[in-house]
Amino acid sequence: MTQDLDTIIEKLNGELVSAYKNDTALFKKMTAIQRNSGLIYDERPTCPFLRPHLISRKSYNEIARAAETIAEAAERLTYAALEDPQLLDRFDLSDDEARLVRIDPGYRNICNSSRLDTFINGSEFKFLEYNAETPAGVGDQPELENVLEVIPLIKAFLGSHRHWRPQPQKKTPQVIVYLIPRIWRKKTEAEHCDN
């Protein structure tokens, strides 16, 4: 893309509004696809939009680096807290939670499948919250891409512009394949100790 991304997006937005602002059939089709894919929450479609969120690869990489830095800081803080009872007390854990955090899961990383919810505005971004329930949102991405590709202008736009899509859903099975044998081994070790 030789044009400025903001200019391209502004032009695309104008074309989308012009073509589809009164296209109730398209919105019904998009909602039906989401219903069939399990992307309706309280009768609200996850994606009521006419285009994907587009950011430059440079911006994506900056956000990824910042998220990795925060994840590394969280790892360090967690391990420091496990070594220092006074620091662990600051987490205000219940007795059951304190026992759970001391269980060795059999792998080094504290969390292998979390995410930071991020708000992006131009070249600025802010992390809103940490979510450890992933891979819930990760699995939605390919389905949301399918929803947006039923929009003819989006399909044509993506076909005529070089672009890249992150595919976190491809890493999730790798994480699970990595973790399951380690968790199973720990479980088996614990059972042998109990006998």
Side-chain angles (χ1 to χ4, degrees):
M1 270 188 239
T2 55
Q3 285 179 286
D4 176 65
L5 184 59
D6 291 337
T7 304
I8 292 169
I9 291 171
E10 188 177 328
K11 180 175 184 261
L12 177 61
N13 286 345
E15 292 172 354
L16 288 166
V17 170
S18 176
Y20 305 119
K21 67 180 173 187
N22 296 317
D23 192 341
T24 56
L26 176 64
F27 284 98
K28 284 180 183 174
K29 182 177 182 180
M30 291 171 64
T31 301
I33 292 168
Q34 291 177 78
R35 181 167 275 110
N36 292 337
S37 300
L39 294 172
I40 301 287
Y41 299 96
D42 288 334
E43 292 305 308
R44 183 185 62 81
T46 301
C47 180
F49 311 108
L50 286 172
R51 72 164 173 82
H53 191 87
L54 305 168
I55 62 172
S56 70
R57 185 62 188 264
K58 180 183 175 202
S59 291
Y60 179 89
N61 290 340
E62 287 173 5
I63 295 166
R65 276 193 301 277
E68 288 166 4
T69 300
I70 290 172
E72 177 63 27
E75 294 273 328
R76 290 181 184 195
L77 176 61
T78 301
Y79 280 109
L82 290 171
E83 297 293 323
D84 180 349
Q86 287 182 323
L87 181 56
L88 187 62
D89 283 346
R90 297 186 71 184
F91 284 85
D92 197 29
L93 302 175
S94 70
D95 290 341
D96 287 341
E97 290 168 334
R99 277 193 299 277
L100 282 172
V101 300
R102 294 190 181 284
I103 296 172
D104 179 359
Y107 49 87
R108 174 83 179 132
N109 293 3
I110 298 302
C111 190
N112 291 284
S113 63
S114 60
R115 73 177 192 273
L116 289 165
D117 281 352
T118 310
F119 285 97
I120 303 167
N121 183 14
S123 62
E124 296 180 1
F125 63 92
K126 294 182 191 271
F127 295 122
L128 172 68
E129 65 181 355
Y130 170 84
N131 283 285
E133 84 275 6
T134 302
V138 172
D140 293 346
Q141 182 174 324
E143 298 301 329
L144 291 169
E145 290 172 3
N146 291 338
V147 171
L148 292 165
E149 285 189 348
V150 303
I151 303 168
L153 275 174
I154 292 300
K155 191 169 181 98
F157 176 84
L158 294 174
S160 65
H161 289 84
R162 187 171 59 89
H163 63 283
W164 172 81
R165 298 176 193 196
Q167 297 181 320
Q169 73 277 8
K170 289 189 174 180
K171 295 233 178 206
T172 302
Q174 294 170 3
V175 169
I176 292 169
V177 166
Y178 170 80
L179 294 178
I180 295 229
R182 285 157 181 78
I183 293 168
W184 185 259
R185 190 167 41 251
K186 280 291 179 184
K187 180 181 180 295
T188 305
E189 288 170 6
E191 287 171 353
H192 285 297
C193 290
D194 289 343
N195 293 330

